[in-house]
Amino acid sequence: MHFIELLNVTGRDQAGLTAMLTESLAKADVVILDMGQAVIHDFLTLGLLVRCASDRVTILDDLAASIMARGLSVSRTRVSDQDYEAWVARQGQSRTILTVLARSISASQLAAISKLVASEGLNIDHINRLSGRIPLLDVGQQTRACLEFSLRGTPSDMFREKLMACVSELDLDAAVQEDGIYRRHRRLIAFDMDSTLINTEVIDELAKVAGVGDQVQAITESAMSGHIDFTESLRRRVSLLRGLDAHCMEDIARALPLTEGAERLFTTLKKLGYKTAIISGGFTYFGAYLKSILGVDYVIANELEMVEGRLTGRVLGTVVDAQVKAEKLKEIAIKENISLAQTIAVGDGANDLDMLATAGLGIAYHAKAIVRQNSRHAISTLGLDSILYLLGISDRDQGMDSMQA
């Protein structure tokens, strides 16, 4: 005969406690059915679910006394065999990863998220902090907070839509992914360039030098918001650059403002062996420059025609539009022998939507409204390196030393 008991130990964390507990249980041939531990600000919460022979009950009494002698609290709960078997059966339910990101996360924000999770009938099994600890002093715009929730159960078809509506009112980002084999094993990530990898639209910078900035910027805005066909808008904008001295491109390239977190993201991706690509409706000259400083593997973009050192106002070859972007992502994946389920695409404009939909993980990054509304995932509060959180990679994994991990 046997019984099953759950022991919950709380109090100040102590070195050697787990060794003491397990050694004591081992002497009585106690079987550990489950175990979990968390430490927050040196305060321990430890759970042990054990099966013990009925004639060895005193071992748990003695163990509880030893725990309390160390200044810790212990609670004990008997679990029936029927309840245990029902709990085991529930472990086969599907799991969903909910990632919550912001500069800081408040109780009111978590209350809204938790209420929505509960309304879906989902159970929160684990909560992990992926970001470093936020300092009390000198909290600036570069702080980051990220919590990862492991949810048990099957969310409704409307869960993602409800979640996006919820976070849009909370100055918060959230992403929902199936906790499957590919989530932590992506291998290829493709980026749009303008307003994604860099905080500008290169064609607008060229237009300023050419003295047609306002005209080009107006067309750019309409194209990125999906109001004008991208190919037509590009040809119209480039035609306004006719006669521009090509030497200005070097100065513009050197002054390109990288998006927050871009360098850290690429450093980490390279360490992890990812293949990276720029698939852009922008221009090859600037993609090549970013390739040289970030170590990008592939650059696919439009090529400006030049004659005698000046722009002709034309684009060579096929324009890299929305359809071409999606096709190029597939081609690179095939070349690298990578499943599309293991790909990530990141972009901000309407011409990125096909690529985002094609990738295993499509992320609208600080995107236009039409792109956020039509994308499965969106990041609008943090830098580009917050994408690592969606892969389950913590600040500690990245070796970040700006905050205590």
Side-chain angles (χ1 to χ4, degrees):
M1 296 292 290
H2 70 269
F3 64 90
I4 299 173
E5 188 164 305
L6 174 63
L7 293 87
N8 290 109
V9 180
T10 58
R12 186 67 63 181
D13 191 24
Q14 300 177 18
L17 178 63
T18 302
M20 182 274 286
L21 290 172
T22 52
E23 286 176 5
S24 298
L25 294 173
K27 293 176 183 177
D29 293 326
V30 172
V31 176
I32 297 177
L33 301 173
D34 196 14
M35 185 175 184
Q37 176 177 309
V39 178
I40 299 179
H41 198 62
D42 294 330
F43 191 88
L44 169 74
T45 301
L46 170 65
L48 279 168
L49 185 65
V50 302
R51 185 180 69 187
C52 183
S54 298
D55 60 354
R56 300 290 185 90
V57 66
T58 56
I59 190 68
L60 296 187
D61 296 334
D62 294 341
L63 181 59
S66 297
I67 293 170
M68 289 185 287
R70 285 174 168 246
L72 298 159
S73 298
V74 59
S75 65
R76 300 168 61 182
T77 306
R78 286 291 176 96
V79 178
S80 69
D81 286 7
Q82 292 78 9
D83 285 345
Y84 175 76
E85 292 297 342
W87 174 76
V88 170
R90 289 196 297 273
Q91 301 310 298
Q93 291 182 317
S94 64
R95 291 182 181 273
T96 299
I97 297 297
L98 167 62
T99 310
V100 177
L101 313 95
R103 292 295 177 185
S104 62
I105 300 174
S106 68
S108 61
Q109 289 171 323
L110 286 181
I113 295 291
S114 301
K115 183 178 180 180
L116 176 60
V117 168
S119 71
E120 287 284 310
L122 302 172
N123 187 70
I124 301 174
D125 277 351
H126 305 286
I127 302 176
N128 295 319
R129 174 177 53 82
L130 299 183
S131 55
R133 296 167 185 158
I134 296 176
L136 294 177
L137 302 176
D138 299 323
V139 177
Q141 292 301 306
Q142 301 306 310
T143 60
R144 310 183 311 171
C146 177
L147 294 174
E148 182 184 84
F149 296 73
S150 176
L151 309 178
R152 179 161 32 88
T154 304
S156 71
D157 294 338
M158 295 297 292
F159 178 54
R160 189 186 303 276
E161 184 176 333
K162 292 177 183 177
L163 181 66
M164 293 303 105
C166 178
V167 300
S168 68
E169 301 176 358
L170 297 174
D171 193 24
L172 197 72
D173 290 326
V176 180
Q177 303 176 68
E178 180 183 354
D179 191 12
I181 188 172
Y182 292 125
R183 189 180 75 87
R184 289 176 180 266
H185 295 87
R186 312 285 185 185
R187 294 177 55 201
L188 167 64
I189 179 166
F191 300 88
D192 175 48
M193 180 170 61
D194 299 64
S195 296
T196 300
L197 272 182
I198 53 175
N199 279 323
T200 190
E201 294 284 333
V202 167
I203 196 165
D204 291 345
E205 300 302 318
L206 290 167
K208 290 176 187 176
V209 178
V212 291
D214 291 343
Q215 295 168 260
V216 166
Q217 189 171 21
I219 301 172
T220 298
E221 275 298 315
S222 294
M224 291 301 99
S225 299
H227 297 141
I228 303 176
D229 173 74
F230 178 80
T231 299
E232 175 59 26
S233 73
L234 182 69
R235 295 193 188 282
R236 285 169 54 185
R237 286 177 289 168
V238 171
S239 69
L240 294 171
L241 303 179
R242 182 178 180 181
L244 181 63
D245 191 329
H247 286 98
C248 72
M249 294 199 295
E250 181 177 354
D251 293 334
I252 292 173
R254 292 184 181 279
L256 290 178
L258 288 176
T259 300
E260 176 194 343
E263 290 175 293
R264 182 181 295 278
L265 173 61
F266 273 83
T267 297
T268 303
L269 291 174
K270 284 191 284 187
K271 288 180 180 177
L272 296 174
Y274 273 68
K275 292 295 181 180
T276 57
I278 292 174
I279 305 180
S280 171
F283 306 117
T284 53
Y285 182 93
F286 303 96
Y289 176 78
L290 293 176
K291 178 179 181 178
S292 69
I293 63 173
L294 294 175
V296 182
D297 295 299
Y298 293 90
V299 173
I300 296 165
N302 297 300
E303 187 172 356
L304 293 168
E305 183 181 59
M306 289 179 279
V307 174
E308 296 181 353
R310 293 189 178 275
L311 302 186
T312 66
R314 292 189 294 269
V315 175
L316 296 173
T318 302
V319 169
V320 180
D321 61 7
Q323 183 179 353
V324 171
K325 283 190 170 192
E327 291 172 353
K328 293 300 181 181
L329 175 65
K330 294 176 183 177
E331 288 177 12
I332 296 172
I334 291 171
K335 180 178 179 180
E336 295 290 345
N337 195 28
I338 295 173
S339 164
L340 276 176
Q342 293 177 278
T343 65
I344 305 169
V346 187
D348 73 294
N351 64 319
D352 295 311
L353 281 170
D354 288 0
M355 182 172 71
L356 300 187
T358 299
L361 175 63
I363 303 169
Y365 179 74
H366 289 258
K368 311 299 184 291
I370 189 175
V371 184
R372 292 196 304 271
Q373 293 164 7
N374 290 278
S375 299
R376 290 169 291 171
H377 309 283
I379 294 176
S380 301
T381 60
L382 298 181
L384 206 57
D385 52 345
S386 61
I387 290 170
L388 296 169
Y389 292 145
L390 303 191
L391 308 181
I393 300 171
S394 69
D395 286 351
R396 181 183 293 107
D397 295 330
Q398 301 171 53
M400 290 184 65
D401 54 10
S402 58
M403 290 182 285
Q404 293 294 319

